[in-house]
Amino acid sequence: MAKTSAEQIIEEGGHPYDFHVSGPRNLSSPTWRDIISSNWKDNNYRRTVMACFIQAAYLLELDRQENKKGEDGLAPRWWKPFKYKLAQTLVDERDGSIFGAILEWDRAAALADFILMRPSGAPRAVLALRGTLLKSHTIRRDLEDDLRFLAWESLKGSVRFNVALETLKIAVERFGSCNVCIAGHSLGAGFAFQVGKTLAKEGVFVETHLFNPPSVSIAMSMRNLGEKAGYVWRRMKSIFPSAVEVLPNNEEEKGGSSSYGWGLLRAEVKKWVPHLYVNNSDYICCYYTDPADNAETNSVATDGSKKLLKGGDAQRGDATAKIFVMCNGTQKFLEAHGLEQWWSSDMELQLAIHDSKLITRQLKSIYTPQEKPQ
C-alpha cells in the first residue's frame, strides 16, 4: 500500500509535531478571490486556525524545554501559514513555563505574499492558551490548577488567570474587542472561559473559542470528588507554599456589585456567545451538551451540514453559547480529548445552539453569591 505523505515526511526526519506532518491537510495558498471573500468568514476555517494557534502555544513550551529558539523551533510553523507572528509569550512565574501566547496579524509577511489587506473577519490579535502538559517541567503547576478547578470550579486565584486577563485587556485596548479573540484547549479553555466571563461582566465581549473545556459537572457522579480535590489542593499548597497564589476570590465570583441582578444583566450576558467544541466521548467536557430543563430539540439540515438546535429560545437567536459536537462514534479518551481532531478534514460535526444547563449555571454564577471555600 502506498505510504501517506505524513509517513514519508516522518521517515525523512520530519518531527511528528511539524505542521506539515500533523497539521491540517486541506489548506492551500489563498487566491485573490479567497482574500476578497475571506476564508475567515467560514466557521470551519476559523475553528482550524484557532486550534492551530493553541497547538503553537503547546509547542512554544516544548521548544523552551528543548532549548529551541526562534526559527529552530516547531511553534512558528503553526502560525506562519496564516500570516500571523508571535507578539508575546505568557509565562508562569512559578516555574518559568510558557502557557500561552499573543499572536498578531503579520502585515509584513502578508505583503511579501502580495496580500495587501487583512482579510475581513481575521482578528488583529489572538490569545491562545494551552492545556495540561504531562512533562516534568510543567506537570506540577498544571495539575495544581487542574485540582483548583475541580475543587472550586474557579481558576481566578491562579497566577495564570491574572496574567491572561491583563494580557487580554491590553490587547483589547490596542485593537478593540471586535478585533481580538481568545482560544484555549482543556485547562487552557477553562482559563479562556473565565477570562471571557470576567470581561463580559465589564461589558467587553471578546470572541471566545473553547476546545474540550473542563467541567466539574463530572463530579455529579462522584459526589465527594470535589471535596477530595480541595483537600489534595490544600495539601499541595501546604507542602509547596507560593506567596503569589490566592484562593478563588468570592467577591469576584459573584460579580462584584451585589446590586446587579441576574434578570437585569441576562440580556447583556447574551451578547457574549462563546464557541464550545465538545466531543461526547470526552468525559471531561461532555456535560456541556446537557440541555436546560425546558429545552426542546429540533434538527435542521442546511447545505448538507448537520445542525442541531436545542432550547426554546434558540430559534429566536436567544442562545448563550454555540456548542459544536464531534460525532465520530465512540472514541478512546485520549483521542476524544485531543486537539488534533479539531482541524481534521474528515470530522462529523453537529452545531448545537442552546442554553445548556451547565452554560446557564456558569454564567449565572458570576452574578449570584457563592459559598466561600474554607
Side-chain angles (χ1 to χ4, degrees), residues 89-335:
T89 56
L90 278 65
V91 177
D92 189 327
E93 62 187 65
R94 299 169 299 179
D95 58 8
S97 65
I98 297 172
F99 66 92
I102 283 281
L103 301 174
E104 295 180 3
W105 174 254
D106 190 347
R107 186 169 180 270
L111 288 174
D113 281 351
F114 303 102
I115 299 175
L116 305 181
M117 65 185 72
R118 180 167 52 92
S120 175
R124 290 285 301 276
V126 177
L127 172 57
L129 302 172
R130 68 166 175 84
T132 302
L133 266 177
L134 299 180
K135 300 286 186 180
S136 59
H137 296 79
T138 56
I139 188 171
R140 174 187 157 192
R141 297 305 185 185
D142 285 2
L143 290 181
E144 189 174 304
D145 281 331
D146 286 329
L147 287 170
R148 177 194 296 273
F149 185 84
L150 186 58
W152 292 296
E153 197 169 1
S154 176
L155 293 165
K156 290 193 174 183
S158 172
V159 170
R160 296 181 183 182
F161 173 84
N162 295 327
V163 173
L165 180 59
E166 290 306 311
T167 301
L168 191 61
K169 283 183 175 180
I170 292 172
V172 169
E173 289 174 0
R174 286 185 60 197
F175 304 119
S177 60
C178 61
N179 290 315
V180 177
C181 295
I182 182 171
H185 173 249
S186 190
L187 177 62
F191 279 109
F193 199 179
Q194 295 204 331
V195 168
K197 286 197 297 183
T198 300
L199 289 184
K201 177 175 66 82
E202 299 174 2
V204 179
F205 307 104
V206 175
E207 184 178 321
T208 305
H209 296 264
L210 310 169
F211 296 85
N212 301 89
S215 163
V216 296
S217 291
I218 186 177
M220 290 191 303
S221 59
M222 296 172 280
R223 295 182 181 276
N224 296 324
L225 185 58
E227 295 178 7
K228 291 179 180 178
Y231 171 77
V232 172
W233 189 87
R234 285 189 290 269
R235 288 287 297 168
M236 287 182 64
K237 298 308 296 176
S238 65
I239 298 173
F240 305 107
S242 176
V244 295
E245 292 275 2
V246 295
L247 287 174
N249 187 324
N250 194 56
E251 290 301 314
E252 196 172 47
E253 280 294 306
K254 68 182 181 181
S257 174
S258 59
S259 63
Y260 285 155
W262 169 244
L264 178 64
L265 289 178
R266 194 166 189 265
E268 289 300 312
V269 174
K270 287 184 177 179
K271 292 181 181 178
W272 182 61
V273 183
H275 296 67
L276 280 70
Y277 304 93
V278 174
N279 190 315
N280 275 332
S281 296
D282 177 10
Y283 61 79
I284 288 179
C285 65
C286 65
Y287 287 95
Y288 279 105
T289 61
D290 290 345
D293 294 334
N294 61 346
E296 300 175 358
T297 302
N298 297 284
S299 296
V300 180
T302 306
D303 298 330
S305 62
K306 296 181 179 179
K307 185 173 291 187
L308 187 64
L309 302 181
K310 294 183 179 179
D313 296 332
Q315 296 182 64
R316 297 194 301 269
D318 195 20
T320 57
K322 291 184 178 181
I323 304 180
F324 299 83
V325 184
M326 177 68 75
C327 303
N328 277 356
T330 303
Q331 295 174 291
K332 295 181 179 179
F333 168 71
L334 289 180
E335 181 182 3

Side-chain angles (χ1 to χ4, degrees), residues 19-82:
F19 183 83
H20 296 293
V21 176
S22 57
R25 293 277 177 265
N26 55 348
L27 295 178
S28 59
S29 299
T31 64
W32 276 106
R33 181 174 296 178
D34 294 330
I35 295 171
I36 294 172
S37 61
S38 182
N39 289 333
W40 281 92
K41 295 179 181 179
D42 177 46
N43 288 331
N44 290 327
Y45 181 84
R46 205 173 189 87
R47 181 195 68 245
T48 294
V49 178
M50 293 299 163
C52 288
F53 285 174
I54 298 170
Q55 178 75 345
Y58 277 103
L59 292 175
L60 279 168
E61 171 56 22
L62 293 180
D63 286 345
R64 184 192 72 87
Q65 293 181 18
E66 297 176 5
N67 295 316
K68 295 180 179 179
K69 298 181 180 180
E71 298 302 315
D72 294 332
L74 291 167
R77 304 172 194 179
W78 288 81
W79 62 67
K80 284 187 174 182
F82 307 105

